[in-house]
Amino acid sequence: MPQKIVAGNWKMNTSLEEATQLAQSLKDNQTGQEPAKLVVCPPFVWIRTIAEILQGSGISIGAQNCASTASGAFTGEISATMLKNAGVEYVILGHSERRAMFGDSNAVILEKCKQAIVSDLKVILCCGETLAERKAGELETVLTGQLTSVFKNIDQLSASNLVIAYEPVWAIGTGLTATPEQAESAHGFIRNLINSLLGETVGNSISLLYGGSCNASNASSLFSRNNIDGGLIGGASLKSDDFLKIGNAW
Ligand code: 13P
């Protein structure tokens, strides 16, 4: 069975004070008995502070991006090794906001995945179609392109350290959550795809998260579906109560 995971992508939100309060509240109010592994992905600059607050809580830290190279003259970049050094366990790669606004092509995302893997980080690899692509019947082609470019180019052992987040672009931050049927159908397609690329033993072990307007009210209807092993949560991860409810939504 894939691990259940609920990860919060804080994106470029929170002041230092808000971030520390959110982390403290998560630490104080979690039970440690949540059915899902909880992960928070703060902005880079808060990572050390949040890691110290959450130490011993069982809540893991993720980052929202990493560099595609190991080190050197890359002003403003943060390497996967630096993240590991700072206490990070997971890194979100291939988020649609980075694909759309920061030039993260499938080729760049592959290089970032390789950096994360050699630095012993777990990758939350995002995929998902735009509304235009869905309407044009291109959902499966888009997912195949985004996932094959990574999974064809890493070995099986590394692949088993990846988590996939299906995030339809039209559902992100819009309140237009995919229906449980739509999400289950896309997740079923992804499961079959990775099983065919990696074999069933590895493919069936990989967690498939849903992301896109997932919140405390709709999480359980999504998480009860086949092949939905948790969520990658944006807006609702900024409220401690909501995030913990989502972490308990089974
Ligand atoms: P929302 O939950 O705010 O729609 O964001 C989803 C997302 O992009 C998580 O990575």
Side-chain angles (χ1 to χ4, degrees), residues 9 11 92 95 97 167 171-174 211-214 232-236:
N9 177 5
K11 307 193 181 184
I92 299 170
H95 194 281
E97 287 152 16
E167 298 205 306
I172 295 177
T174 57
S213 299
C214 181
L232 180 56
I233 317 300

Side-chain angles (χ1 to χ4, degrees), residues 10 71 82 91 103 141 180 210 216:
W10 294 4
S71 64
M82 291 170 184
V91 60
T141 313
Y210 169 79

Side-chain angles (χ1 to χ4, degrees), residues 154-209:
I154 56 172
D155 60 41
Q156 279 208 335
L157 189 63
S158 306
S160 63
N161 267 319
L162 265 65
V163 172
I164 296 173
Y166 169 62
E167 298 205 306
V169 178
W170 47 272
I172 295 177
T174 57
L176 291 173
T177 320
T179 63
E181 292 74 20
Q182 286 172 321
E184 182 174 62
S185 161
H187 282 230
F189 175 78
I190 292 168
R191 181 72 72 200
N192 288 337
L193 177 67
I194 57 175
N195 280 349
S196 73
L197 291 169
L198 304 167
E200 290 193 5
T201 308
V202 175
N204 283 330
S205 72
I206 292 180
S207 307
L208 306 186
L209 314 185

